[in-house]
Amino acid sequence: MKLARDTWLVWQRQMSLMLRSRTWLVFGLAQPITYLVLFAPMLKPALGADSYGDAYRVYVPGLLVVMCLYGGLFTGFGLLAELRAGIIERARVTPVSRSALLLGRALRDVASLLVQALIITVIAVPFGLSVGVLNLLLAYLLLAVIALMTTSLSYAVTLLVRKEGALGPVMNTVAQPVALLAGVLLPIALAPAWIQAIADWNPFYWVTNGMRSLFEGRAGDVEIWQGLVGVTVLAAIAITWSTRLFQRTIR
């Protein structure tokens, strides 16, 4: 009970600080909007889709997954700045749960990424995208778990690396092959058989397929639940790892 209350308090505080600056929204959406407007329309002839709406139902789910993947993995820079400024160090004198200090920050980042995902979805509607409300809510649940997992992983790596020059390359090294093997730009079905065989072991590939199933109105597809279970397990591992490292940091 104390952990939940403290997490809520930390989340409220972190959200109020984030909302004082709108730059996070501008920079977070600039690249996804560029891909949405300039890249996605080319998928209609490339995929042989019957309409732009069909093309966007293939592309937008992958775009949302990669937003939460990259957006979550690079949140560690914010934690690193707080470590350098002594903000985390001063938390030692507070009675707030040490785990809540990390979870509140992670949930702030999850909320930020979900807001960006919602804006991207709305922008795609005039291009022909349509999706049922319940399916969309389940898709956002998948995105929330992805964001929580990647954010927690980023925090854990940050606490180990502690250097900006190393953090970026480490995150890129992880994110790029994972994203490509998830088929976020184009379906993996278009790739050679050996790439498909590797992708079958990638939980983000399951999630991307599940997201596409939801956007196409197939809520009963096994990929949805397979992806949700896979990233939930990874999120639990990442949260446990990052909170233990954080507790050691401010012990």
Side-chain angles (χ1 to χ4, degrees), residues 155-192:
Y155 284 171
V157 174
T158 299
L159 292 170
L160 291 174
V161 174
R162 305 273 186 121
K163 295 180 181 178
E164 292 89 345
L167 183 59
V170 169
M171 293 295 98
N172 267 323
T173 300
V174 172
Q176 194 169 31
V178 168
L180 291 175
L181 289 172
V184 294
L185 295 177
L186 293 170
I188 289 293
L190 302 176

Side-chain angles (χ1 to χ4, degrees), residues 34-49 52 55-56 59 186:
T34 300
Y35 274 89
L36 189 69
V37 175
L38 300 181
F39 178 78
M42 293 187 288
L43 292 179
K44 181 178 180 292
L47 296 175
Y52 282 108
Y56 273 80
Y59 182 68
L186 293 170

Side-chain angles (χ1 to χ4, degrees), residues 89-226:
E89 180 71 20
R90 290 195 292 271
R92 289 183 176 182
V93 299
T94 67
V96 177
S97 166
R98 299 317 189 226
S99 298
L101 289 169
L102 184 81
L103 290 173
R105 285 171 167 80
L107 291 176
R108 171 207 58 193
D109 295 326
V110 171
S112 169
L113 290 168
L114 288 181
V115 168
Q116 295 176 46
L118 177 60
I119 293 173
I120 290 295
T121 305
V122 171
I123 293 174
V125 171
F127 291 92
L129 177 69
S130 61
V131 57
V133 175
L134 292 179
N135 287 343
L136 189 61
L137 292 175
L138 184 53
Y140 285 164
L141 174 61
L142 277 169
L143 293 176
V145 179
I146 293 172
L148 184 58
M149 188 272 285
T150 54
T151 298
S152 300
L153 178 61
S154 180
Y155 284 171
V157 174
T158 299
L159 292 170
L160 291 174
V161 174
R162 305 273 186 121
K163 295 180 181 178
E164 292 89 345
L167 183 59
V170 169
M171 293 295 98
N172 267 323
T173 300
V174 172
Q176 194 169 31
V178 168
L180 291 175
L181 289 172
V184 294
L185 295 177
L186 293 170
I188 289 293
L190 302 176
W194 66 271
I195 292 181
Q196 296 181 36
I198 298 174
D200 286 337
W201 295 89
N202 181 6
F204 286 90
Y205 171 58
W206 311 338
V207 172
T208 303
N209 284 344
M211 288 281 292
R212 287 180 174 140
S213 295
L214 287 169
F215 273 65
E216 292 171 1
R218 305 193 310 271
D221 283 5
V222 66
E223 290 92 346
I224 300 169
W225 313 107
Q226 183 183 29

Side-chain angles (χ1 to χ4, degrees), residues 145 149 206 226-240:
V145 179
M149 188 272 285
W206 311 338
Q226 183 183 29
L228 180 59
V229 171
V231 294
T232 299
V233 171
L234 291 176
I237 295 172
I239 291 170
T240 302

Side-chain angles (χ1 to χ4, degrees), residues 7-86:
T7 300
W8 171 251
L9 292 174
V10 173
W11 180 82
Q12 284 183 309
R13 174 60 178 166
Q14 292 296 317
M15 286 296 295
S16 66
L17 292 173
M18 184 180 69
L19 292 174
R20 292 177 186 176
S21 172
R22 302 294 188 273
T23 55
W24 63 272
L25 189 60
V26 175
F27 288 107
L29 289 173
Q31 191 173 35
I33 290 176
T34 300
Y35 274 89
L36 189 69
V37 175
L38 300 181
F39 178 78
M42 293 187 288
L43 292 179
K44 181 178 180 292
L47 296 175
D50 295 330
S51 66
Y52 282 108
D54 290 338
Y56 273 80
R57 274 189 287 274
V58 172
Y59 182 68
V60 171
L63 179 62
L64 298 181
V65 169
V66 81
M67 280 177 57
C68 289
L69 174 62
Y70 274 91
L73 288 177
F74 283 88
T75 54
F77 283 98
L79 179 62
L80 188 57
E82 291 186 334
L83 287 168
R84 292 283 174 81

